[in-house]
Amino acid sequence: MSLQKEVMVKLKEAMKSKDKVALESLRAIKSAILLAQTETGVKEELTKDKELKLVQKLVKQRKDSAVLFSEQGREDLAEPELAQAMVISQFLPEQMSDEAVKEVILGVISQTGAAGMKDMGKVMGMASGKLSGKADGK
């Protein structure tokens, strides 16, 4: 099932249960999908990779906003942002543990033969490709 169809199903469920946080979050996803589809001028289906990046971006925006609000002592604004991030993140694949990420990175380092910081670009490129959507880029 495409992300758009999955979001529509969840949106209907949220409407029936009158869950305001889920409604806002799901409407944000729907809006972002529609914007991405009409960006090129042709309404086309998004690839799985584009959908994944779009959802990651929305989660990151919410988390960054929550951090800023918390730093300014505005917990009343930070909490809804974190709640929305949790709702949106349900559309992401399961995140890998730090140990699993470390194993993948070590495998990439041995595969590329990286010897120092000068090879970091090669390692980061391959690692980000392998870990796309499964781990935080940080």
Side-chain angles (χ1 to χ4, degrees):
M1 180 184 301
S2 73
L3 177 65
Q4 189 170 14
K5 290 178 183 174
E6 197 174 334
V7 167
M8 290 304 294
V9 169
K10 296 280 186 182
L11 192 63
K12 288 176 187 175
E13 290 173 8
M15 284 180 186
K16 288 179 182 176
S17 65
K18 295 182 170 85
D19 185 353
K20 288 185 178 187
V21 174
L23 273 172
E24 288 177 19
S25 306
L26 295 168
R27 285 179 177 150
I29 297 172
K30 182 180 173 187
S31 173
I33 291 170
L34 290 174
L35 283 172
Q37 285 177 334
T38 57
E39 226 171 43
T40 59
V42 179
K43 190 172 182 181
E44 58 187 35
E45 285 292 317
L46 297 176
T47 63
K48 287 283 185 193
D49 190 42
K50 285 183 181 180
E51 288 176 346
L52 181 66
K53 287 181 181 180
L54 184 115
V55 174
Q56 284 177 323
K57 179 182 173 185
L58 291 172
V59 170
K60 184 179 183 317
Q61 285 174 342
R62 300 303 185 286
K63 287 183 178 179
D64 289 347
S65 295
V67 168
L68 287 173
F69 290 139
S70 293
E71 287 173 356
Q72 296 171 356
R74 296 295 310 264
E75 294 301 322
D76 60 318
L77 296 175
E79 288 175 16
E81 292 292 326
L82 290 174
Q84 284 188 19
M86 290 300 296
V87 171
I88 296 170
S89 64
Q90 71 182 330
F91 297 101
L92 290 174
E94 186 175 332
Q95 300 294 296
M96 295 174 73
S97 68
D98 288 343
E99 294 81 28
V101 171
K102 190 173 185 178
E103 285 181 28
V104 171
I105 300 285
L106 291 174
V108 169
I109 290 172
S110 65
Q111 185 180 4
T112 60
M117 289 302 291
K118 65 182 180 183
D119 298 324
M120 189 167 184
K122 285 191 263 183
V123 172
M124 287 299 293
M126 286 184 69
S128 64
K130 288 185 176 189
L131 299 172
S132 177
K134 298 175 189 161
D136 188 7
K138 296 178 182 176

